[in-house]
mmCIF file of all heavy atoms in Angstrom:
data_model
loop_
_atom_site.group_PDB
_atom_site.id
_atom_site.type_symbol
_atom_site.label_atom_id
_atom_site.label_comp_id
_atom_site.label_asym_id
_atom_site.label_seq_id
_atom_site.Cartn_x
_atom_site.Cartn_y
_atom_site.Cartn_z
ATOM 1 N N LEU A 7 -5.612 15.735 1.187
ATOM 2 C CA LEU A 7 -5.683 17.254 1.062
ATOM 3 C C LEU A 7 -4.436 17.906 1.512
ATOM 4 O O LEU A 7 -4.481 18.916 2.164
ATOM 5 C CB LEU A 7 -6.885 17.790 1.764
ATOM 6 C CG LEU A 7 -8.248 17.280 1.319
ATOM 7 C CD1 LEU A 7 -9.375 17.755 2.340
ATOM 8 C CD2 LEU A 7 -8.575 17.797 -0.032
ATOM 9 N N LEU A 8 -3.281 17.282 1.186
ATOM 10 C CA LEU A 8 -1.983 17.805 1.673
ATOM 11 C C LEU A 8 -1.771 19.207 1.283
ATOM 12 O O LEU A 8 -1.478 20.061 2.107
ATOM 13 C CB LEU A 8 -0.861 16.848 1.170
ATOM 14 C CG LEU A 8 0.528 17.293 1.572
ATOM 15 C CD1 LEU A 8 0.728 17.254 3.060
ATOM 16 C CD2 LEU A 8 1.534 16.427 0.904
ATOM 17 N N ASN A 9 -1.773 19.544 -0.027
ATOM 18 C CA ASN A 9 -1.417 20.895 -0.469
ATOM 19 C C ASN A 9 -2.464 21.866 0.084
ATOM 20 O O ASN A 9 -2.056 22.967 0.561
ATOM 21 C CB ASN A 9 -1.385 20.988 -1.977
ATOM 22 C CG ASN A 9 -0.189 20.175 -2.549
ATOM 23 O OD1 ASN A 9 0.812 20.007 -1.884
ATOM 24 N ND2 ASN A 9 -0.411 19.635 -3.698
ATOM 25 N N GLU A 10 -3.713 21.596 0.036
ATOM 26 C CA GLU A 10 -4.755 22.434 0.564
ATOM 27 C C GLU A 10 -4.535 22.735 2.031
ATOM 28 O O GLU A 10 -4.691 23.862 2.494
ATOM 29 C CB GLU A 10 -6.166 21.880 0.313
ATOM 30 C CG GLU A 10 -6.514 21.699 -1.168
ATOM 31 C CD GLU A 10 -6.070 20.417 -1.763
ATOM 32 O OE1 GLU A 10 -5.244 19.653 -1.138
ATOM 33 O OE2 GLU A 10 -6.441 20.161 -2.955
ATOM 34 N N SER A 11 -4.259 21.694 2.802
ATOM 35 C CA SER A 11 -4.014 21.877 4.239
ATOM 36 C C SER A 11 -2.845 22.741 4.540
ATOM 37 O O SER A 11 -2.938 23.676 5.335
ATOM 38 C CB SER A 11 -3.864 20.508 4.887
ATOM 39 O OG SER A 11 -4.969 19.636 4.715
ATOM 40 N N ILE A 12 -1.746 22.501 3.896
ATOM 41 C CA ILE A 12 -0.581 23.265 4.132
ATOM 42 C C ILE A 12 -0.725 24.697 3.676
ATOM 43 O O ILE A 12 -0.349 25.634 4.469
ATOM 44 C CB ILE A 12 0.694 22.632 3.387
ATOM 45 C CG1 ILE A 12 0.952 21.219 3.945
ATOM 46 C CG2 ILE A 12 1.842 23.489 3.453
ATOM 47 C CD1 ILE A 12 1.209 21.131 5.393
ATOM 48 N N GLU A 13 -1.288 24.976 2.582
ATOM 49 C CA GLU A 13 -1.537 26.324 2.173
ATOM 50 C C GLU A 13 -2.459 27.060 3.139
ATOM 51 O O GLU A 13 -2.256 28.259 3.390
ATOM 52 C CB GLU A 13 -2.145 26.356 0.744
ATOM 53 C CG GLU A 13 -1.146 25.938 -0.346
ATOM 54 C CD GLU A 13 -1.846 25.839 -1.700
ATOM 55 O OE1 GLU A 13 -2.982 26.348 -1.867
ATOM 56 O OE2 GLU A 13 -1.237 25.204 -2.625
ATOM 57 N N SER A 14 -3.357 26.381 3.690
ATOM 58 C CA SER A 14 -4.332 27.097 4.576
ATOM 59 C C SER A 14 -3.715 27.469 5.937
ATOM 60 O O SER A 14 -4.253 28.244 6.703
ATOM 61 C CB SER A 14 -5.598 26.234 4.810
ATOM 62 O OG SER A 14 -5.281 25.104 5.644
ATOM 63 N N LEU A 15 -2.589 26.823 6.294
ATOM 64 C CA LEU A 15 -1.934 27.135 7.584
ATOM 65 C C LEU A 15 -1.207 28.508 7.603
ATOM 66 O O LEU A 15 -0.905 28.962 8.715
ATOM 67 C CB LEU A 15 -0.983 26.001 7.896
ATOM 68 C CG LEU A 15 -1.550 24.647 8.083
ATOM 69 C CD1 LEU A 15 -0.450 23.596 8.345
ATOM 70 C CD2 LEU A 15 -2.597 24.570 9.165
ATOM 71 N N SER A 16 -0.899 29.072 6.477
ATOM 72 C CA SER A 16 -0.160 30.355 6.456
ATOM 73 C C SER A 16 1.101 30.209 7.337
ATOM 74 O O SER A 16 1.291 30.968 8.299
ATOM 75 C CB SER A 16 -1.024 31.532 6.920
ATOM 76 O OG SER A 16 -2.090 31.652 6.067
ATOM 77 N N ILE A 17 1.915 29.276 7.030
ATOM 78 C CA ILE A 17 3.068 28.907 7.892
ATOM 79 C C ILE A 17 4.068 29.974 7.879
ATOM 80 O O ILE A 17 4.520 30.523 6.819
ATOM 81 C CB ILE A 17 3.683 27.569 7.330
ATOM 82 C CG1 ILE A 17 2.676 26.391 7.551
ATOM 83 C CG2 ILE A 17 4.958 27.267 8.068
ATOM 84 C CD1 ILE A 17 3.122 25.100 6.958
ATOM 85 N N LYS A 18 4.599 30.313 9.115
ATOM 86 C CA LYS A 18 5.655 31.240 9.306
ATOM 87 C C LYS A 18 6.904 30.432 9.684
ATOM 88 O O LYS A 18 6.737 29.417 10.442
ATOM 89 C CB LYS A 18 5.415 32.216 10.485
ATOM 90 C CG LYS A 18 4.104 33.050 10.303
ATOM 91 C CD LYS A 18 3.869 33.949 11.431
ATOM 92 C CE LYS A 18 3.521 33.085 12.664
ATOM 93 N NZ LYS A 18 3.121 33.845 13.873
ATOM 94 N N GLU A 19 8.068 30.764 9.172
ATOM 95 C CA GLU A 19 9.250 29.928 9.407
ATOM 96 C C GLU A 19 9.641 29.843 10.841
ATOM 97 O O GLU A 19 10.357 28.892 11.250
ATOM 98 C CB GLU A 19 10.397 30.386 8.526
ATOM 99 C CG GLU A 19 11.157 31.620 8.948
ATOM 100 C CD GLU A 19 12.396 31.881 8.132
ATOM 101 O OE1 GLU A 19 12.555 31.267 7.105
ATOM 102 O OE2 GLU A 19 13.174 32.704 8.624
ATOM 103 N N GLY A 21 7.270 29.740 13.403
ATOM 104 C CA GLY A 21 6.107 29.400 14.114
ATOM 105 C C GLY A 21 6.178 28.112 14.867
ATOM 106 O O GLY A 21 7.077 27.326 14.700
ATOM 107 N N VAL A 22 5.188 27.898 15.774
ATOM 108 C CA VAL A 22 5.001 26.662 16.522
ATOM 109 C C VAL A 22 3.751 26.031 16.070
ATOM 110 O O VAL A 22 2.675 26.683 16.134
ATOM 111 C CB VAL A 22 5.040 26.972 18.018
ATOM 112 C CG1 VAL A 22 4.809 25.685 18.786
ATOM 113 C CG2 VAL A 22 6.282 27.659 18.522
ATOM 114 N N TYR A 23 3.857 24.816 15.618
ATOM 115 C CA TYR A 23 2.663 24.136 15.024
ATOM 116 C C TYR A 23 2.482 22.770 15.679
ATOM 117 O O TYR A 23 3.446 22.183 16.129
ATOM 118 C CB TYR A 23 3.022 23.939 13.500
ATOM 119 C CG TYR A 23 3.048 25.256 12.779
ATOM 120 C CD1 TYR A 23 4.234 25.928 12.724
ATOM 121 C CD2 TYR A 23 1.930 25.855 12.291
ATOM 122 C CE1 TYR A 23 4.327 27.145 12.126
ATOM 123 C CE2 TYR A 23 2.004 27.104 11.707
ATOM 124 C CZ TYR A 23 3.188 27.783 11.603
ATOM 125 O OH TYR A 23 3.285 29.008 11.019
ATOM 126 N N VAL A 24 1.206 22.415 15.703
ATOM 127 C CA VAL A 24 0.832 21.122 16.273
ATOM 128 C C VAL A 24 0.131 20.308 15.156
ATOM 129 O O VAL A 24 -0.810 20.775 14.518
ATOM 130 C CB VAL A 24 -0.115 21.191 17.450
ATOM 131 C CG1 VAL A 24 -0.630 19.877 17.869
ATOM 132 C CG2 VAL A 24 0.596 21.825 18.617
ATOM 133 N N ASP A 25 0.627 19.084 14.892
ATOM 134 C CA ASP A 25 -0.083 18.142 14.087
ATOM 135 C C ASP A 25 -0.736 17.159 15.047
ATOM 136 O O ASP A 25 -0.105 16.307 15.594
ATOM 137 C CB ASP A 25 0.872 17.449 13.111
ATOM 138 C CG ASP A 25 0.184 16.484 12.138
ATOM 139 O OD1 ASP A 25 -0.983 16.126 12.387
ATOM 140 O OD2 ASP A 25 0.780 16.009 11.212
ATOM 141 N N ALA A 26 -2.025 17.337 15.191
ATOM 142 C CA ALA A 26 -2.771 16.561 16.257
ATOM 143 C C ALA A 26 -2.959 15.063 15.875
ATOM 144 O O ALA A 26 -3.209 14.252 16.682
ATOM 145 C CB ALA A 26 -4.150 17.173 16.503
ATOM 146 N N GLY A 32 2.977 12.797 6.707
ATOM 147 C CA GLY A 32 2.922 13.600 5.470
ATOM 148 C C GLY A 32 2.766 15.075 5.762
ATOM 149 O O GLY A 32 3.512 15.912 5.239
ATOM 150 N N HIS A 33 1.769 15.445 6.531
ATOM 151 C CA HIS A 33 1.569 16.854 6.857
ATOM 152 C C HIS A 33 2.665 17.390 7.716
ATOM 153 O O HIS A 33 3.180 18.536 7.477
ATOM 154 C CB HIS A 33 0.217 17.036 7.603
ATOM 155 C CG HIS A 33 -0.981 16.810 6.678
ATOM 156 N ND1 HIS A 33 -1.607 15.590 6.595
ATOM 157 C CD2 HIS A 33 -1.619 17.586 5.848
ATOM 158 C CE1 HIS A 33 -2.574 15.669 5.799
ATOM 159 N NE2 HIS A 33 -2.620 16.877 5.307
ATOM 160 N N SER A 34 3.196 16.661 8.666
ATOM 161 C CA SER A 34 4.261 17.128 9.485
ATOM 162 C C SER A 34 5.497 17.382 8.648
ATOM 163 O O SER A 34 6.206 18.332 8.889
ATOM 164 C CB SER A 34 4.571 16.023 10.567
ATOM 165 O OG SER A 34 3.565 15.990 11.575
ATOM 166 N N LEU A 35 5.820 16.471 7.681
ATOM 167 C CA LEU A 35 6.993 16.668 6.811
ATOM 168 C C LEU A 35 6.871 18.014 6.093
ATOM 169 O O LEU A 35 7.838 18.807 6.035
ATOM 170 C CB LEU A 35 7.130 15.506 5.857
ATOM 171 C CG LEU A 35 8.275 15.633 4.855
ATOM 172 C CD1 LEU A 35 9.669 15.683 5.584
ATOM 173 C CD2 LEU A 35 8.214 14.440 3.898
ATOM 174 N N GLU A 36 5.707 18.288 5.562
ATOM 175 C CA GLU A 36 5.543 19.519 4.785
ATOM 176 C C GLU A 36 5.638 20.776 5.707
ATOM 177 O O GLU A 36 6.194 21.755 5.284
ATOM 178 C CB GLU A 36 4.236 19.501 3.987
ATOM 179 C CG GLU A 36 4.243 18.485 2.911
ATOM 180 C CD GLU A 36 5.357 18.746 1.883
ATOM 181 O OE1 GLU A 36 5.632 19.940 1.486
ATOM 182 O OE2 GLU A 36 6.013 17.699 1.493
ATOM 183 N N ILE A 37 5.129 20.604 6.853
ATOM 184 C CA ILE A 37 5.299 21.757 7.884
ATOM 185 C C ILE A 37 6.779 21.952 8.194
ATOM 186 O O ILE A 37 7.282 23.091 8.138
ATOM 187 C CB ILE A 37 4.482 21.447 9.179
ATOM 188 C CG1 ILE A 37 2.981 21.546 8.822
ATOM 189 C CG2 ILE A 37 4.825 22.540 10.203
ATOM 190 C CD1 ILE A 37 2.071 21.029 9.928
ATOM 191 N N LEU A 38 7.475 20.891 8.496
ATOM 192 C CA LEU A 38 8.937 21.022 8.865
ATOM 193 C C LEU A 38 9.744 21.555 7.710
ATOM 194 O O LEU A 38 10.690 22.311 7.989
ATOM 195 C CB LEU A 38 9.476 19.592 9.218
ATOM 196 C CG LEU A 38 8.977 19.125 10.646
ATOM 197 C CD1 LEU A 38 9.353 17.708 10.759
ATOM 198 C CD2 LEU A 38 9.680 19.950 11.717
ATOM 199 N N ARG A 40 9.004 23.926 6.004
ATOM 200 C CA ARG A 40 8.787 25.385 5.941
ATOM 201 C C ARG A 40 9.077 26.159 7.212
ATOM 202 O O ARG A 40 9.036 27.392 7.217
ATOM 203 C CB ARG A 40 7.261 25.581 5.607
ATOM 204 C CG ARG A 40 6.895 25.103 4.219
ATOM 205 C CD ARG A 40 5.410 24.945 4.017
ATOM 206 N NE ARG A 40 5.012 24.713 2.628
ATOM 207 C CZ ARG A 40 5.171 23.552 2.003
ATOM 208 N NH1 ARG A 40 5.604 22.478 2.643
ATOM 209 N NH2 ARG A 40 4.806 23.437 0.787
ATOM 210 N N ILE A 41 9.407 25.427 8.287
ATOM 211 C CA ILE A 41 9.737 26.132 9.589
ATOM 212 C C ILE A 41 11.165 25.955 9.925
ATOM 213 O O ILE A 41 11.506 25.296 10.981
ATOM 214 C CB ILE A 41 8.750 25.649 10.679
ATOM 215 C CG1 ILE A 41 8.808 24.188 10.949
ATOM 216 C CG2 ILE A 41 7.300 26.082 10.396
ATOM 217 C CD1 ILE A 41 8.103 23.701 12.213
ATOM 218 N N LEU A 46 7.655 21.965 15.696
ATOM 219 C CA LEU A 46 6.443 21.177 15.448
ATOM 220 C C LEU A 46 6.282 20.134 16.540
ATOM 221 O O LEU A 46 7.226 19.471 16.938
ATOM 222 C CB LEU A 46 6.617 20.395 14.119
ATOM 223 C CG LEU A 46 5.473 19.375 13.834
ATOM 224 C CD1 LEU A 46 4.196 20.016 13.534
ATOM 225 C CD2 LEU A 46 5.931 18.465 12.718
ATOM 226 N N ASP A 92 0.918 28.407 17.200
ATOM 227 C CA ASP A 92 0.379 29.253 16.176
ATOM 228 C C ASP A 92 -0.884 28.613 15.584
ATOM 229 O O ASP A 92 -1.837 29.192 15.315
ATOM 230 C CB ASP A 92 1.435 29.632 15.145
ATOM 231 C CG ASP A 92 2.517 30.524 15.727
ATOM 232 O OD1 ASP A 92 2.130 31.703 16.025
ATOM 233 O OD2 ASP A 92 3.672 30.047 15.904
ATOM 234 N N VAL A 93 -0.679 27.330 15.179
ATOM 235 C CA VAL A 93 -1.800 26.633 14.485
ATOM 236 C C VAL A 93 -1.762 25.137 14.879
ATOM 237 O O VAL A 93 -0.671 24.545 15.074
ATOM 238 C CB VAL A 93 -1.579 26.746 12.958
ATOM 239 C CG1 VAL A 93 -2.645 25.896 12.185
ATOM 240 C CG2 VAL A 93 -1.587 28.157 12.506
ATOM 241 N N THR A 94 -2.965 24.578 15.000
ATOM 242 C CA THR A 94 -3.006 23.149 15.234
ATOM 243 C C THR A 94 -3.820 22.540 14.065
ATOM 244 O O THR A 94 -4.896 23.054 13.670
ATOM 245 C CB THR A 94 -3.875 22.833 16.512
ATOM 246 O OG1 THR A 94 -3.124 23.434 17.613
ATOM 247 C CG2 THR A 94 -4.028 21.383 16.755
ATOM 248 N N LEU A 95 -3.234 21.482 13.472
ATOM 249 C CA LEU A 95 -3.844 20.801 12.322
ATOM 250 C C LEU A 95 -4.393 19.453 12.803
ATOM 251 O O LEU A 95 -3.713 18.681 13.405
ATOM 252 C CB LEU A 95 -2.774 20.579 11.249
ATOM 253 C CG LEU A 95 -3.169 19.722 10.027
ATOM 254 C CD1 LEU A 95 -4.178 20.431 9.195
ATOM 255 C CD2 LEU A 95 -1.911 19.384 9.266
ATOM 256 N N TYR A 96 -5.633 19.242 12.484
ATOM 257 C CA TYR A 96 -6.295 17.961 12.718
ATOM 258 C C TYR A 96 -6.676 17.338 11.402
ATOM 259 O O TYR A 96 -7.326 17.985 10.578
ATOM 260 C CB TYR A 96 -7.641 18.144 13.512
ATOM 261 C CG TYR A 96 -7.470 18.679 14.958
ATOM 262 C CD1 TYR A 96 -7.358 20.026 15.189
ATOM 263 C CD2 TYR A 96 -7.466 17.779 15.987
ATOM 264 C CE1 TYR A 96 -7.317 20.501 16.445
ATOM 265 C CE2 TYR A 96 -7.376 18.247 17.249
ATOM 266 C CZ TYR A 96 -7.225 19.626 17.454
ATOM 267 O OH TYR A 96 -7.173 20.074 18.782
#
Side-chain angles (χ1 to χ4, degrees):
L7 298 172
L8 179 62
N9 293 329
E10 296 86 349
S11 298
I12 296 303
E13 288 174 18
S14 73
L15 297 178
S16 300
I17 295 173
K18 300 179 294 186
E19 75 171 16
V22 177
Y23 296 87
V24 172
D25 184 346
H33 290 96
S34 286
L35 178 61
E36 292 304 316
I37 292 170
L38 286 168
R40 292 162 172 80
I41 58 168
L46 171 73
D92 293 291
V93 177
T94 301
L95 173 69
Y96 293 86

